[in-house]
Amino acid sequence: MTQQDTAARALGAPDAADQVFQVETHGIDPIPDEDRHGSAKDLFWLWFGSNLTFTYVINGALAVAFGLSFWQATGVVVIGGLAFFAISAAGLSGVRTGTATLVVSRAPFGVRGNWPAGMLNWVVSIGYTILNTVVGTLALEAFFTDLGWESGRTGRALALLVTLTLTFAVALWGHATVQFAERWIAYVLAVGFAALLVFLLPGADTGGGAAQPGASGWSLALVVMLAGPFSYVPMPADYTRYLPRTTSMRSLTWYGALGGFISSVALGVAGVAAATRTDMTDAVAGTERLLPGWFQTLFLALVLGGSVTNSIVTLYSSSLNLQVLGVPWSRSKAIVISAAVTAAGSLCALFLADFTSSLLSFLSLLIIVFAPWGGVFLTDMLMRRCRYDAPSLHAGPDGAYWYRSGYHPAGLAALLAGMLFAALTCDSELWTGPLVAPLGGADLTLLGSVVSGLVHWLLARRTVAPHTGRPDAA
């Protein structure tokens, strides 16, 4: 180690394996103590920036469309934002083990039992990256049109190329560049979205609606609001694995949670306010109608920026995910696979209209898997007090998490129980569970996480315990 490296680490600077605008050399391999750096404050900007996305405006508008009044919808938006406390706390597993979330999840499911959820998570990550890329591309295409530039298929193709390049370049460089970009883009987006709030909140209809939304309206609004934070459950350790082991759970939880909470709630309330004033069936067009003419072009830039910040996070995590699935490449090479699939999917979504709606329906249905998966993972983390035998997470048949031929019966049984409950109570375009009608139209899919968590605790409470040795012992 050189004197410059020693001095840099003493100042909390990144090590040579994780520097801004240089390709990160680590993947899912455990981050050694000498390569750890940063502080919990970095998580605020990561979660704040990545959630400054127009998706939350759409979600807020949907809550009103489901029949909720302004204050009812705002309450649901706040509940969704509070979920980031659980997501952020889950990042402690990265501090303790130095590896990615989907490596840590081998503990509750087994090394082989973890593979199916890992595959589905990669599909979901790519799916949401495609959707964000499409939203950003359409916003940039409209931006080009406002400037009097090329339009039509050529303009759309150029907009897609620019959006993909912005996303891929940052995610390719890796962890340090992701954090750097999220922070600095967030500074700009925060000012722009604050102005958006100023334009949308005045004139909002804050009176109570004459009709009550009923069980269906409340449950659908909660599913929409909580689905966003829940989609991050397989990711938090990806962004905490470089933090020093001395990072406290309190600071880690609060900084990350406040970042996600502030941005998601602010934009969700903006969507609620807009929906009480105009038709938000086309959320971008509906929002534009409420904005002064001079701000509309800037608004499109905000939509593009928010789409890129969110895509960066999901694309980066997808590269780690591929390593978990056994792709024998470095993280920087594996991300090329994710980028290629994202590009192909975005082309289909932009030039084949039916593809977009089908993808949305498919992704909404996958909550049947990921709500129960999150319930098992978080419950197992609590049972272990987030203390794992870190080397065993990578050891295969020789490790403590191989269980029975690579499968953990308790974790998998709990996952199946939660999935069964979620499937019976799910109300989506592709599937309506048989219990939805008897429940008055209520969608209780998210409670699949509670069911799976309880079942896991009952089945594993006598065998699952915190690792008592050194977590990093070889």
Side-chain angles (χ1 to χ4, degrees):
M1 182 185 300
T2 65
Q3 290 182 341
Q4 290 86 347
D5 288 338
T6 303
R9 282 172 185 161
L11 294 172
D15 66 281
D18 185 40
Q19 291 188 356
V20 177
F21 302 132
Q22 293 186 23
V23 177
E24 175 192 5
T25 59
H26 285 299
I28 62 171
D29 53 303
I31 309 299
D33 287 345
E34 60 267 23
D35 288 352
R36 304 272 189 121
H37 59 83
S39 70
K41 294 180 181 179
D42 299 330
L43 297 176
F44 174 86
W45 295 107
L46 175 81
W47 292 112
F48 180 72
S50 62
N51 286 284
L52 283 173
T53 171
F54 192 72
T55 300
Y56 289 105
V57 177
I58 297 173
N59 291 348
L62 283 173
V64 175
F66 294 145
L68 275 65
S69 67
F70 176 88
W71 291 112
Q72 289 171 336
T74 297
V76 173
V77 168
V78 171
I79 291 173
L82 290 174
F84 278 102
F85 279 88
I87 304 304
S88 189
L92 184 61
S93 61
V95 175
R96 293 275 175 80
T97 64
T99 192
T101 305
L102 281 166
V103 176
V104 179
S105 63
R106 290 169 176 170
F109 299 107
V111 176
R112 288 177 172 169
N114 187 57
W115 198 93
M119 185 65 208
L120 282 173
N121 180 70
W122 182 78
V123 172
V124 170
S125 295
I126 294 302
Y128 280 115
T129 305
I130 290 171
L131 290 176
N132 277 308
T133 299
V134 168
V135 171
T137 297
L138 294 175
L140 185 56
E141 180 188 13
F143 184 83
F144 288 163
T145 301
D146 286 353
L147 295 178
W149 294 358
E150 181 69 45
S151 59
R153 297 175 72 89
T154 302
R156 178 169 293 187
L158 176 62
L160 174 60
L161 178 62
V162 172
T163 305
L164 284 172
T165 300
L166 291 172
T167 304
F168 175 70
V170 175
L172 174 66
W173 274 316
H175 176 267
T177 310
V178 168
Q179 289 196 320
F180 176 85
E182 293 291 345
R183 176 191 289 264
W184 286 98
I185 296 175
Y187 291 157
V188 178
L189 293 181
V191 173
F193 278 118
L196 185 70
L197 271 170
V198 171
F199 293 130
L200 295 182
L201 282 177
D205 181 5
T206 59
Q212 292 300 313
S216 177
W218 280 106
S219 64
L220 288 172
L222 283 167
V223 166
V224 166
M225 294 303 169
L226 290 170
F230 254 88
S231 69
Y232 290 119
V233 173
M235 300 182 192
D238 301 1
Y239 304 99
T240 59
R241 69 195 203 283
Y242 278 95
L243 293 178
R245 294 184 190 276
T246 54
T247 305
S248 73
M249 181 175 180
R250 176 177 296 181
S251 61
L252 179 146
T253 300
W254 275 95
Y255 278 115
L258 286 177
F261 178 86
I262 292 171
S263 52
S264 64
V265 170
L267 296 185
V269 171
V272 171
T276 66
R277 298 177 58 189
T278 189
D279 179 15
M280 290 285 283
T281 303
D282 182 337
V284 173
T287 302
E288 278 192 290
R289 285 194 292 270
L290 302 175
L291 301 176
W294 63 267
F295 190 76
Q296 290 180 3
T297 301
L298 294 176
F299 165 67
L300 294 173
L302 290 177
V303 175
L304 169 64
S307 298
V308 169
T309 59
N310 195 265
S311 292
I312 287 170
V313 170
T314 54
L315 188 61
Y316 174 78
S317 286
S318 75
S319 65
L320 298 175
N321 198 335
L322 285 173
Q323 288 191 308
V324 174
L325 294 175
V327 174
W329 291 354
S330 67
R331 182 207 61 82
S332 57
K333 290 181 179 179
I335 202 172
V336 175
I337 298 176
S338 294
V341 176
T342 297
S346 299
L347 283 169
C348 292
L350 288 165
F351 296 101
L352 301 174
D354 290 341
F355 180 85
T356 304
S357 59
S358 298
L359 181 61
L360 275 168
S361 299
F362 174 67
L363 291 173
S364 67
L365 188 64
L366 286 185
I367 197 170
I368 291 176
V369 177
F370 283 100
W373 184 92
V376 175
F377 177 78
L378 295 174
T379 300
D380 189 82
M381 190 179 74
L382 290 173
M383 294 170 71
R384 298 179 193 274
R385 299 177 189 172
C386 208
R387 297 189 181 278
Y388 300 90
D389 180 353
S392 286
L393 293 170
H394 304 268
D398 298 326
Y401 304 123
W402 189 250
Y403 304 112
R404 297 181 183 178
S405 301
Y407 301 93
H408 189 201
L412 294 173
L415 175 62
L416 291 174
M419 288 174 58
L420 177 61
F421 178 88
L424 291 174
T425 59
C426 175
D427 185 12
S428 70
E429 290 186 18
L430 296 180
W431 168 258
T432 300
L435 295 184
V436 172
L439 290 170
D443 184 336
L444 303 182
T445 313
L446 287 172
L447 288 182
S449 61
V450 178
V451 172
S452 64
L454 287 173
V455 172
H456 184 60
W457 178 79
L458 288 171
L459 295 178
R461 67 188 188 280
R462 296 180 180 177
T463 56
V464 169
H467 178 62
T468 55
R470 282 185 57 199
D472 57 339

